Amino acid sequence: GSSGEQQLVVSAAISLSNAFEEIKAEFEKNNPDSNIIYNFAASGVLQAQIEQGAPVDVFASASEKQMDVLEERGLLVAGSRADFAQNEVVLIVPGNSVRSPANFQELVKPEVIRIAVGNPEIVPAGQYAREVLTNLGLWDKVQEKLVMAENVRQALAYVEKAEVDSGIVYYTDALISRSVVIAASAPPGSHRPIVYPIAVIRGSKEEELARRFISFILSQKGQGILQKYGFLPGSS
Amino acid sequence: MILQPLYLSLKVATASTLAVFVVGLILAIVLAKKHFPGKNVVETLVTLPLVLPPTVVGYYLLFVVGGHGLLGPLLAATQIQIIFTWVAAAIASAVVSLPLMVRTSKVAIESVDPSLEKAARTLGSPEWRVLLDVTLPLSRRGILAGVVLAFARGLGEFGATLMVAGNIPGRTQTMPLAIYSAVQTNKMGEANLLVLIMTVVSFIVLWMVNRWQREWWFRKAI
Amino acid sequence: MILQPLYLSLKVATASTLAVFVVGLILAIVLAKKHFPGKNVVETLVTLPLVLPPTVVGYYLLFVVGGHGLLGPLLAATQIQIIFTWVAAAIASAVVSLPLMVRTSKVAIESVDPSLEKAARTLGSPEWRVLLDVTLPLSRRGILAGVVLAFARGLGEFGATLMVAGNIPGRTQTMPLAIYSAVQTNKMGEANLLVLIMTVVSFIVLWMVNRWQREWWFRKAI
Amino acid sequence: MIDLTIKKKVGDFCLDVDLQVENEILVLFGPSGAGKSTILQCVAGLLTPDEGLIAIDGEKVFAATAGRMERNVPVHRRRIGYVFQNYALFPHLTVWQNIVYGVRRHPQRREMVEDMIIRMRLGGLEKRYSHQLSGGQQQRVALARALVIQPRVLLLDEPFSALDTMVREKLQQDLLHMQGQLGLSTLYVTHDVKDAFTLGDRLAIINKGKIEQIGSKEDVFDHPTSIAAARFTGTRNIFRGEVMGRDENGVVILWRGFKLWSSCAAAGTGSKVEFCIRPEEIMIMRDDRPPKEELAQNLLSGKIVRQIAKGPSISLFLKIEESDGTSGEAKLARDYDLEMALPRHVYRKLDLRVGKRVTVSLKRSALHVIGPLA
Amino acid sequence: MIDLTIKKKVGDFCLDVDLQVENEILVLFGPSGAGKSTILQCVAGLLTPDEGLIAIDGEKVFAATAGRMERNVPVHRRRIGYVFQNYALFPHLTVWQNIVYGVRRHPQRREMVEDMIIRMRLGGLEKRYSHQLSGGQQQRVALARALVIQPRVLLLDEPFSALDTMVREKLQQDLLHMQGQLGLSTLYVTHDVKDAFTLGDRLAIINKGKIEQIGSKEDVFDHPTSIAAARFTGTRNIFRGEVMGRDENGVVILWRGFKLWSSCAAAGTGSKVEFCIRPEEIMIMRDDRPPKEELAQNLLSGKIVRQIAKGPSISLFLKIEESDGTSGEAKLARDYDLEMALPRHVYRKLDLRVGKRVTVSLKRSALHVIGPLA
Ligand SMILES: Nc1ncnc2c1ncn2[C@@H]1O[C@H](COP(=O)(O)OP(=O)(O)OP(=O)(O)O)[C@@H](O)[C@H]1O
Ligand SMILES: Nc1ncnc2c1ncn2[C@@H]1O[C@H](COP(=O)(O)OP(=O)(O)OP(=O)(O)O)[C@@H](O)[C@H]1O
Ligand SMILES: [Mg+2]
Ligand SMILES: [Mg+2]
């Protein structure tokens, strides 16, 4: 960018990247002097970077956990945190599958051999999958069948390639792949709301622009774009 | 909790190193000794897994060893499942550490004084004997370096492994995965402990190799 | 769009390789020629980045070069920012490819016929000249192999890079990161294209090195 | 038996030889870089000739015509014993392991190796590695390693060059004995005239990749057929003169005003010839005694200008006086005309020294006209 | 000048020598494995002696007593020219680059290298790599590389072993010339008696890590002070007898019933002594002529049992008849008693052959009693 430009470094969960690219285009149209620079990675990685003093202005996380840690450590600009999107957990099956489970309960059936989920230790989607299965009383029964993916994309890949019989991923992830079929959504109340928080990072030199960026995302226009990619509105 | 991934890691690395040793050495020998059209291409292809990010290598491996991949029908027919087993982890490790073995051994083999190989031939040894008796023993430093690198790489392999082996606790969760998990979940205490264990284990292995190399195998010979 | 990460990758790999060449060679020389207590420890520590998953290495690197890390105060004082720059990517690449350079070169240096070094000494060369004139030229195959491996590894480096350099398109998004991003966002067409480009570029580079090695540098000398 | 007709180009060096070796020792003699080692390597199969034929004991091991290879038996099936000029010992094996290498499957290997170790005087060194051996010890290991396999052909490239006379002579006797017993065809490269004579049955002078002369050792030494052959065999005195006439026993040559008789009858009157005489065949005439009849011819007088002691013999360099009384020709670059070699006791008895004037006889029977044998 | 007093243990081999080399060529002579190369390496600094002192031109380059190192000048500052037994040419450099290596900063390097290339007859090979050279060519490059640096000390480890006589003699003359001009202290290892004699000023016989004898070459050859020295210098005939008496010129020794006169006056009557005579000093007596006065003593009769032609000379092996008429002693393992060497022309003239009975004289002046010089 040229010298007069205001640069904004936005660390965002990689699952947001498609939507955020479009938001960037819109935002920069409205703010001609600004230049959004994205850093897409897993939320945990982004958190670690911010903790170690990476020059980040805005952090958009795929899970509250990482944001909570940063908030505790006082790395957020107080009052800047907001929830900007929500997501759903869905059960997916390979596109050409015949014996696939039609709902969560059918996961216990013997013909379902493998279920791909995010690693609950690392991947937020995995934590929600665990919540859903626990709530439905299936967690212990399907333990043996679980394949812990290291990110949602990997779980998706297993289902796409039919290496597993089903997978539990975010609704938005299921949307981006044409070779998987959504079999069922998680029953309402079977997991905590899946909330995407965003906040300005302390020490940002562009705090004002950062706030403006967050406002834009929370605005109708921003929300519209997010919804196009399958996200639910931030505050229900 | 900690012993399980460690054991698995050592198992995977050992199996992978054995495979790499055999395949890599054969490749190195062929590349060092034979001249054939497209040799350069083969050499470059062998090095490729080093250039691609392991996750990508893993992604492509899925196409090969997956139940619905290239080898799918064969695997189905033989009732062998590779994906999501430690064998897959070993294969992934092997693929990414192969270039280390091949390149290092090739140089060592090429550096053997040809007049010694000639001498062995005049003493009645056919090519394969010359190889076993002279070329390989005299390249043993380089080959050993290749093996060490391959073993270390196998021990640390993570990206490709994850892809084809899955992360099935107690079954395919190797040390690197455990460390990664710990780091990701910000359990730095646990991560540090695991890294320490990994360091100590690698240290012991490498130290033994070094010692063995210095004291026994290379004791007197140049 | 595609040229940018490629250019960046080449830049990072080149810078990292240069650094690794210098540091690795010095380390290799010291390890091959000097005997000191704790040599074994140094050797193992150097190999460690190979054993640990790159992400973990990256994590530890964050502690060093991050704004709040070990070097934080120094970096702040000098107004230098490393994290989220291509320099961080180069450092990450260098750290993970150092073991390849060190191990490979060390073996090559150790394999040089000592009587040639003696001859150089009798011809008036002090140790450093012997090194430059005899030892290194005669280990050039091994050193080159180390450089090739380091370059390839640098080109493919992903985990540690992501950690310390971030994944910032146009700034720190190298090819492996671009591939990662494309795969993550399910742009498989783009991912395949990027892998293809990466393959072709690596292929060209490796092929040129091979050719150069065979046709020019090693043309006549053993 | 080795039968060899080959052509081989290495860089700008061309080898073109045709040799037959019966069950004998054929010595390859010639200047450095003449192609001796190249010949051995071709026989062994370590170098592939461009064209030609190599047969060992009647078995064709190599054949190629005009670039088309018809047969090329690999090295390891040629059953040759090769002692390399640079030894090529296996550095990762001990002396014992080096020697046993070629016979490690042989049931009697233990005895065979022990026998070799005793022959080669390597006792006590069995467990040493080659870098722990002296040059001569290495050479003996190389010899042992090649001999123990009981080859059908021996290729020896200066196998005794690093050995002292005592060990060398003992090993040579052993070698002669072994060769005689097994009737091995042997190609033996050496630079030492004594070695060549002691061991060789026949001698081939190699020069610039070609065979300059081949024949029995006495023939080659006494009757070189070319200047190069004469030079390489140590015939120091090579001159050019004109045949003036002949009698039933030979010819008389005019050289610098002197008439010199030679027993060779090869050349015709009036022709320019090269002739030569070995330094040890030049006899000093004693003033106090009349010349014996066989030495009465070919007398020259000259002054000793230089002398070099060479152990048991002494080399004297003579400047002769021209028949017209003047001394020497200006055009000659070297400061002497004749080189002669005397046993030390003769030198002492005659009280010779630099500056002294002596009369010498170029013994007629030893004055050899260079050229194809008649 | 080299001043050397060192002890060095390598494996179970012990070197313990004390040598002074003036501005001369000192030849190290001795059997394979005696420690000759080890001495050179110590002088060069490539091996560190366990204790002792080495001074070059008065400068102390090494000193250590009882394990404490006082001084050890590194190799590259000792300014020595070392020709290695195995050449040790740099394989990655051409002939030119090998030779220029030691003088690459010298302003006249071009001329110096060109000069060396001409001297060593390496013209046309400048751009070759060492594996493209023959053995002798490699050796000459090694020589050139060591000589071109104009060292203050020369260490030559069999530098001519792979060269033919012609080139060898030319290079030896060059070396002598250079050495004479620069007054270089030179240690020269060779196994060749002729080379030793041609080049050496003094001679040191090394055996089992010790100096067996050191002195002028004539002294060492003619008056060996130990059996080993006698043996290594080629004094083939070594016997044991008892001193019976003496006159003003020497002693008379009783040996197997014969009375043999020697000019050495070293030993006392009644003592057992070893004595020796070189093969070329044994003279054949002619039946047709009365023995000359200096040969009239020490006459023995015997039969030729074996003969070996060695080029210009012929070795004859004699079994002598005992004074009481019986032939030989049963206890002797070898089948002959005397070895003698004759020039070929004498051999031919006397019509000798195996089986013939001859009378020989062990020349009194050449019959040497072994032991410290009187
Ligand atoms: N690779 C090569 N390229 C060019 N010329 C070569 C090559 N190898 C050998 N030669 C030349 O071939 C010739 C014959 O070499 P060869 O080793 O047979 O000589 P040689 O008779 O054994 O000499 P020496 O007595 O010195 O060992 C030499 O002049 C050498 O320079
Ligand atoms: N590393 C070693 N370990 C044990 N013994 C050794 C070692 N190096 C050399 N020797 C022994 O030291 C002795 C002297 O070796 P050196 O090379 O000096 O002999 P040399 O007189 O040069 O013999 P040559 O004429 O055969 O070259 C030899 O008997 C050799 O076996
Ligand atoms: Mg040769
Ligand atoms: Mg030696």
Side-chain angles (χ1 to χ4, degrees):
Chain A
S2 61
S3 49
E5 246 174 24
Q6 294 174 293
Q7 291 193 344
L8 197 69
V9 177
V10 177
S11 277
I14 188 129
S15 53
L16 293 165
S17 58
N18 288 334
F20 269 40
E21 287 294 352
E22 198 170 328
I23 285 171
K24 168 182 154 102
E26 284 299 319
F27 182 78
E28 285 177 353
K29 216 184 289 166
N30 299 345
N31 302 271
D33 285 343
S34 65
N35 180 15
I36 307 289
I37 294 163
Y38 283 126
N39 175 33
F40 290 122
S43 304
V45 170
L46 300 174
Q47 174 213 329
Q49 289 168 341
I50 291 165
E51 278 179 318
Q52 293 306 320
V56 176
D57 299 301
V58 174
F59 176 36
S61 172
S63 153
E64 295 184 277
K65 207 173 98 187
Q66 281 81 20
M67 198 61 96
D68 292 345
V69 173
L70 294 183
E71 189 158 34
E72 263 166 45
R73 307 219 167 142
L75 290 168
L76 306 183
V77 171
S80 67
R81 178 170 172 170
D83 296 337
F84 68 94
Q86 287 193 33
N87 213 338
E88 277 187 298
V89 171
V90 294
L91 183 69
I92 56 170
V93 296
N96 53 0
S97 175
V98 281
R99 56 170 191 204
S100 331
N103 54 52
F104 283 91
Q105 259 68 33
E106 282 185 23
L107 289 176
V108 300
K109 291 210 300 194
E111 57 262 41
V112 177
I113 299 164
R114 297 233 165 264
I115 309 160
V117 297
N119 181 354
E121 302 282 329
I122 325 168
V123 188
Q127 291 156 15
Y128 293 114
R130 181 166 61 186
E131 267 179 44
V132 172
L133 291 174
T134 310
N135 260 326
L136 297 177
L138 302 171
W139 178 250
D140 291 332
K141 295 179 198 154
V142 298
Q143 262 293 297
E144 291 285 286
K145 305 183 176 183
L146 297 180
V147 174
M148 308 284 197
E150 191 260 326
N151 53 54
V152 176
R153 181 68 190 95
Q154 197 184 336
L156 201 59
Y158 290 148
V159 182
E160 281 176 342
K161 301 222 154 43
E163 298 299 346
V164 296
D165 308 297
S166 65
I168 301 174
V169 299
Y170 290 138
Y171 174 65
T172 50
D173 295 317
L175 278 190
I176 63 172
S177 173
R178 261 181 250 115
S179 34
V180 301
V181 172
I182 297 174
S185 290
S190 61
H191 60 85
R192 287 173 294 137
I194 304 170
V195 177
Y196 287 66
I198 190 165
V200 181
I201 301 301
R202 261 249 318 262
S204 166
K205 294 198 181 66
E206 303 287 351
E207 206 179 305
E208 190 274 330
L209 183 66
R211 283 179 189 281
R212 231 190 305 155
F213 180 71
I214 293 177
S215 313
F216 180 77
I217 287 178
L218 296 173
S219 74
Q220 212 164 11
K221 196 144 188 193
Q223 292 291 303
I225 294 172
L226 281 166
Q227 273 155 44
K228 211 168 88 188
Y229 290 92
F231 293 97
L232 301 172
S235 38
S236 42
Chain B
M1 188 252 121
I2 276 167
L3 284 184
Q4 182 67 30
L6 181 62
Y7 164 75
L8 200 65
S9 269
L10 288 173
K11 179 161 114 178
V12 167
T14 307
S16 137
T17 306
L18 279 177
V20 165
F21 176 72
V22 175
V23 177
L25 201 52
I26 292 174
L27 267 170
I29 292 166
V30 171
L31 289 173
K33 293 283 171 198
K34 301 281 167 209
H35 295 279
F36 51 90
K39 174 170 155 171
N40 234 325
V41 177
V42 174
E43 205 163 337
T44 308
L45 284 180
V46 169
T47 318
L48 219 53
L50 204 61
V51 181
L52 297 177
T55 324
V56 175
V57 173
Y59 201 85
Y60 286 102
L61 266 182
L62 257 190
F63 278 106
V64 182
V65 299
H68 298 256
L70 279 181
L71 297 182
L74 181 72
L75 294 171
T78 52
Q79 295 268 1
I80 294 173
Q81 194 204 331
I82 291 181
I83 190 163
F84 300 146
T85 65
W86 73 270
V87 177
I91 291 178
S93 286
V95 169
V96 294
S97 45
L98 188 68
L100 304 180
M101 178 71 191
V102 174
R103 284 262 165 188
T104 317
S105 313
K106 178 175 164 262
V107 168
I109 290 169
E110 283 173 344
S111 305
V112 171
D113 181 355
S115 71
L116 299 177
E117 297 172 327
K118 287 183 186 172
R121 270 176 224 133
T122 66
L123 293 166
S125 293
E127 286 309 309
W128 64 273
R129 274 253 131 239
V130 175
L131 200 70
L132 289 183
D133 294 339
V134 179
T135 315
L136 295 184
L138 286 175
S139 353
R140 62 195 187 281
R141 281 168 182 283
I143 293 172
L144 188 67
V147 170
V148 166
L149 288 178
F151 184 79
R153 183 76 185 77
L155 216 53
E157 169 42 32
F158 162 71
T161 305
L162 204 66
M163 204 72 189
V164 291
N167 178 4
I168 303 175
R171 238 165 79 186
T172 58
Q173 192 181 53
T174 59
M175 281 300 273
L177 287 176
I179 296 174
Y180 180 75
S181 298
V183 167
Q184 287 292 302
T185 48
N186 220 14
K187 295 181 191 149
M188 284 316 290
E190 188 183 322
N192 287 338
L193 180 64
L194 287 170
V195 167
L196 188 71
I197 290 173
M198 196 77 170
T199 309
V200 170
V201 170
S202 329
F203 189 86
I204 292 171
V205 172
L206 294 173
W207 190 77
M208 268 166 26
V209 170
N210 276 350
R211 240 196 114 79
W212 176 57
Q213 166 172 352
R214 208 163 302 151
E215 308 252 309
W216 183 74
W217 208 19
F218 295 93
R219 201 174 17 144
K220 282 178 183 165
I222 311 175
Chain C
M1 188 251 119
I2 275 167
L3 284 184
Q4 183 67 31
L6 180 61
Y7 163 74
L8 200 63
S9 267
L10 290 173
K11 179 161 114 179
V12 166
T14 307
S16 137
T17 307
L18 279 177
V20 165
F21 176 72
V22 174
V23 178
L25 202 51
I26 291 174
L27 267 169
I29 292 166
V30 171
L31 288 173
K33 293 283 173 198
K34 301 282 167 208
H35 296 278
F36 51 89
K39 176 169 155 172
N40 236 322
V41 178
V42 174
E43 209 163 333
T44 307
L45 285 181
V46 168
T47 319
L48 214 55
L50 204 62
V51 181
L52 297 178
T55 320
V56 174
V57 173
Y59 204 85
Y60 284 100
L61 268 182
L62 259 186
F63 279 110
V64 181
V65 300
H68 299 174
L70 279 180
L71 297 182
L74 181 73
L75 295 170
T78 51
Q79 294 267 4
I80 294 172
Q81 193 203 323
I82 290 181
I83 190 167
F84 282 6
T85 65
W86 73 270
V87 176
I91 291 177
S93 289
V95 169
V96 297
S97 45
L98 188 67
L100 306 179
M101 179 70 190
V102 174
R103 285 263 165 187
T104 319
S105 312
K106 178 175 163 260
V107 168
I109 290 170
E110 283 172 343
S111 305
V112 171
D113 181 355
S115 72
L116 299 176
E117 297 172 327
K118 287 183 185 172
R121 270 176 224 133
T122 66
L123 293 166
S125 292
E127 287 308 309
W128 64 273
R129 273 254 132 239
V130 174
L131 200 70
L132 288 182
D133 294 339
V134 179
T135 315
L136 294 183
L138 286 174
S139 351
R140 63 194 188 281
R141 281 168 180 281
I143 293 172
L144 187 67
V147 169
V148 167
L149 288 178
F151 184 80
R153 183 72 186 80
L155 217 52
E157 169 42 33
F158 160 71
T161 307
L162 177 64
M163 212 69 191
V164 293
N167 177 16
I168 304 174
R171 235 162 77 183
T172 60
Q173 193 179 60
T174 58
M175 283 300 272
L177 291 173
I179 295 171
Y180 163 80
S181 297
V183 169
Q184 286 295 320
T185 53
N186 211 34
K187 293 176 188 154
M188 285 317 291
E190 190 183 319
N192 287 336
L193 179 64
L194 286 169
V195 168
L196 188 71
I197 290 173
M198 192 77 170
T199 308
V200 170
V201 169
S202 330
F203 191 88
I204 292 171
V205 171
L206 293 173
W207 190 78
M208 269 167 24
V209 171
N210 276 349
R211 241 194 113 80
W212 174 60
Q213 166 173 352
R214 204 162 306 149
E215 309 251 308
W216 183 74
W217 208 20
F218 296 94
R219 200 174 18 143
K220 282 179 183 165
I222 310 175
Chain D
M1 237 206 80
I2 308 171
D3 205 313
L4 180 87
T5 318
I6 52 167
K7 281 195 174 67
K8 168 82 188 169
K9 221 169 132 53
V10 194
D12 43 357
F13 172 80
C14 276
L15 184 76
D16 182 358
V17 290
D18 183 350
L19 274 181
Q20 277 72 41
V21 189
E22 303 295 325
N23 299 338
E24 62 178 344
I25 298 182
L26 176 70
V27 173
L28 299 183
F29 207 79
S32 174
K36 304 179 294 297
S37 302
T38 309
I39 293 176
L40 298 202
Q41 288 186 53
C42 286
V43 175
L46 297 173
L47 273 180
T48 309
D50 299 331
E51 60 176 280
L53 190 135
I54 304 172
I56 298 179
D57 286 350
E59 184 206 347
K60 207 195 274 179
V61 295
F62 176 84
T65 36
R68 221 169 48 80
M69 179 93 66
E70 278 156 29
R71 193 169 168 71
N72 193 5
V73 174
V75 185
H76 67 277
R77 286 215 241 98
R78 294 199 182 183
R79 285 200 37 225
I80 42 155
Y82 196 145
V83 177
F84 289 81
Q85 197 169 7
N86 65 354
Y87 319 152
L89 295 187
F90 303 127
H92 60 302
L93 301 183
T94 61
V95 166
W96 177 280
Q97 290 166 336
N98 261 285
I99 300 176
V100 85
Y101 182 79
V103 290
R104 63 199 178 290
R105 307 243 171 294
H106 199 288
Q108 261 89 53
R109 61 182 173 282
R110 222 191 139 71
E111 293 73 35
M112 293 164 83
V113 173
E114 269 166 7
D115 175 55
M116 269 300 157
I117 283 183
I118 292 167
R119 273 173 200 270
M120 296 296 157
R121 285 135 188 100
L122 289 168
L125 305 179
E126 292 89 344
K127 297 218 173 104
R128 294 264 190 92
Y129 289 89
S130 60
H131 72 277
Q132 297 171 311
L133 298 177
S134 79
Q137 289 164 345
Q138 288 180 27
Q139 195 166 39
R140 282 176 280 156
V141 176
L143 256 168
R145 187 179 66 174
L147 293 180
V148 79
I149 63 169
Q150 304 187 324
R152 56 180 181 179
V153 157
L154 266 182
L155 306 173
L156 308 174
D157 206 341
E158 307 192 35
F160 304 116
S161 64
L163 298 177
D164 53 296
T165 326
M166 283 194 325
V167 173
R168 178 190 295 225
E169 291 196 348
K170 293 231 176 76
L171 295 187
Q172 285 177 342
Q173 291 312 318
D174 276 8
L175 184 69
L176 271 177
H177 186 70
M178 200 173 133
Q179 194 274 334
Q181 266 189 330
L182 305 176
L184 291 177
S185 302
T186 304
L187 274 169
Y188 174 64
V189 175
T190 184
H191 286 121
D192 190 304
V193 176
K194 242 198 210 165
D195 286 358
F197 239 90
T198 312
L199 283 180
D201 296 305
R202 288 192 307 143
L203 203 71
I205 309 279
I206 314 290
N207 189 26
K208 294 185 184 153
K210 306 253 175 320
I211 295 176
E212 196 75 46
Q213 183 173 359
I214 184 167
S216 79
K217 54 190 174 189
E218 290 84 6
D219 255 11
V220 176
F221 270 89
D222 294 335
H223 306 294
T225 55
S226 72
I227 295 184
R231 201 172 280 148
F232 300 143
T233 50
T235 312
R236 300 309 172 80
N237 307 293
I238 303 173
F239 308 113
R240 209 178 148 74
E242 193 184 325
V243 177
M244 285 181 65
R246 56 197 313 154
D247 64 8
E248 67 278 17
N249 294 322
V251 294
V252 60
I253 302 167
L254 184 69
W255 176 66
R256 296 169 79 183
F258 299 105
K259 285 186 187 149
L260 299 177
W261 285 94
S262 161
S263 307
C264 292
T269 307
S271 58
K272 298 256 181 224
V273 291
E274 265 99 18
F275 61 98
C276 62
I277 184 164
R278 299 183 64 86
E280 63 273 12
E281 303 279 6
I282 301 181
M283 301 289 128
I284 296 219
M285 308 310 295
R286 293 177 61 164
D287 306 335
D288 54 341
R289 287 194 209 153
K292 274 164 274 167
E293 155 223 6
E294 91 255 36
L295 297 177
Q297 286 172 316
N298 300 351
L299 294 181
L300 299 175
S301 288
K303 214 162 67 177
I304 300 174
V305 292
R306 199 140 48 85
Q307 64 182 41
I308 299 179
K310 289 185 175 173
S313 81
I314 288 186
S315 290
L316 297 180
F317 298 86
L318 249 62
K319 184 98 201 138
I320 60 164
E321 287 158 13
E322 299 297 304
S323 58
D324 53 15
T326 66
S327 180
E329 282 173 29
K331 67 174 180 204
L332 268 176
R334 55 185 200 177
D335 63 348
Y336 65 91
D337 299 312
L338 285 180
E339 176 179 342
M340 51 188 299
L342 291 184
R344 271 205 304 170
H345 63 93
V346 175
Y347 173 82
R348 281 194 304 250
K349 192 166 59 189
L350 298 182
D351 188 27
L352 299 174
R353 62 185 181 280
V354 171
K356 187 159 175 173
R357 217 185 140 270
V358 291
T359 301
V360 297
S361 161
L362 310 188
K363 224 190 322 169
R364 176 180 183 153
S365 58
L367 193 79
H368 172 69
V369 175
I370 294 172
L373 286 173
Chain E
M1 238 207 80
I2 308 172
D3 205 314
L4 181 85
T5 318
I6 51 166
K7 283 195 172 64
K8 168 83 187 167
K9 219 169 135 51
V10 194
D12 42 356
F13 172 79
C14 275
L15 185 76
D16 181 357
V17 292
D18 181 352
L19 274 180
Q20 277 72 42
V21 190
E22 302 296 323
N23 299 339
E24 63 177 344
I25 298 182
L26 176 71
V27 173
L28 299 184
F29 207 79
S32 175
K36 306 180 293 296
S37 302
T38 309
I39 294 176
L40 298 202
Q41 288 186 54
C42 286
V43 175
L46 298 173
L47 273 180
T48 309
D50 299 330
E51 60 175 280
L53 191 136
I54 304 173
I56 298 178
D57 287 350
E59 185 205 346
K60 207 195 275 179
V61 295
F62 176 83
T65 36
R68 221 169 48 80
M69 177 96 65
E70 279 156 29
R71 197 172 165 71
N72 192 5
V73 174
V75 185
H76 67 276
R77 286 214 242 101
R78 295 200 181 181
R79 284 198 40 225
I80 40 154
Y82 196 146
V83 177
F84 289 81
Q85 197 169 7
N86 66 353
Y87 319 152
L89 296 186
F90 302 127
H92 60 301
L93 300 182
T94 62
V95 167
W96 177 279
Q97 291 166 336
N98 261 283
I99 300 176
V100 86
Y101 183 78
V103 290
R104 63 200 179 290
R105 308 243 171 294
H106 198 289
Q108 260 89 52
R109 61 183 173 281
R110 222 190 139 72
E111 293 73 34
M112 293 163 81
V113 173
E114 271 166 5
D115 175 56
M116 269 300 156
I117 284 181
I118 291 167
R119 274 173 200 269
M120 296 295 156
R121 285 135 187 100
L122 289 168
L125 305 179
E126 292 89 345
K127 297 219 172 100
R128 294 265 189 91
Y129 289 90
S130 60
H131 72 277
Q132 296 171 313
L133 298 176
S134 79
Q137 288 163 345
Q138 289 179 27
Q139 195 167 41
R140 281 176 281 157
V141 176
L143 256 169
R145 186 179 67 173
L147 293 180
V148 79
I149 62 169
Q150 305 187 323
R152 55 179 180 178
V153 157
L154 267 181
L155 306 174
L156 308 174
D157 206 342
E158 307 192 35
F160 304 117
S161 64
L163 299 176
D164 54 296
T165 326
M166 284 196 323
V167 172
R168 178 191 296 225
E169 291 195 350
K170 294 230 175 78
L171 294 187
Q172 285 176 343
Q173 292 312 317
D174 277 9
L175 184 69
L176 271 178
H177 187 70
M178 203 174 131
Q179 194 275 333
Q181 266 190 330
L182 305 176
L184 291 177
S185 302
T186 303
L187 274 170
Y188 174 63
V189 175
T190 185
H191 287 119
D192 191 303
V193 177
K194 241 195 209 167
D195 286 358
F197 239 91
T198 312
L199 282 181
D201 296 306
R202 288 192 307 144
L203 203 71
I205 308 281
I206 314 289
N207 189 28
K208 295 185 184 154
K210 307 251 173 321
I211 295 176
E212 196 75 48
Q213 184 172 0
I214 184 166
S216 80
K217 54 189 173 191
E218 291 83 7
D219 255 10
V220 176
F221 270 89
D222 293 335
H223 305 293
T225 56
S226 71
I227 296 185
R231 201 172 280 146
F232 301 142
T233 49
T235 312
R236 298 309 171 82
N237 306 294
I238 303 173
F239 308 113
R240 211 179 148 73
E242 192 185 322
V243 178
M244 283 181 66
R246 54 198 312 154
D247 64 6
E248 68 278 14
N249 294 322
V251 294
V252 61
I253 301 167
L254 184 69
W255 176 65
R256 295 168 83 183
F258 299 106
K259 285 186 187 149
L260 300 177
W261 286 92
S262 160
S263 306
C264 291
T269 307
S271 59
K272 298 255 181 222
V273 290
E274 265 100 16
F275 61 96
C276 63
I277 184 164
R278 297 183 65 86
E280 63 272 12
E281 302 281 5
I282 301 180
M283 301 289 128
I284 296 220
M285 308 308 297
R286 294 177 61 165
D287 308 334
D288 55 340
R289 285 195 209 152
K292 274 165 272 168
E293 154 223 6
E294 91 255 36
L295 296 176
Q297 286 171 314
N298 301 351
L299 295 181
L300 300 174
S301 288
K303 214 162 67 176
I304 300 174
V305 293
R306 201 141 45 87
Q307 65 183 38
I308 300 177
K310 290 185 175 173
S313 80
I314 288 185
S315 289
L316 296 180
F317 298 86
L318 249 62
K319 184 99 199 137
I320 60 163
E321 287 158 13
E322 299 297 303
S323 58
D324 54 13
T326 66
S327 181
E329 282 173 29
K331 66 176 184 208
L332 269 178
R334 55 186 201 178
D335 64 347
Y336 64 91
D337 300 312
L338 285 179
E339 176 178 342
M340 50 187 301
L342 292 182
R344 272 206 302 172
H345 63 92
V346 175
Y347 174 82
R348 283 194 303 251
K349 193 167 58 186
L350 297 182
D351 189 27
L352 299 173
R353 64 185 179 278
V354 171
K356 187 159 175 172
R357 214 185 142 273
V358 291
T359 300
V360 295
S361 161
L362 311 188
K363 222 188 327 166
R364 174 179 184 152
S365 59
L367 194 78
H368 172 68
V369 176
I370 294 173
L373 284 172

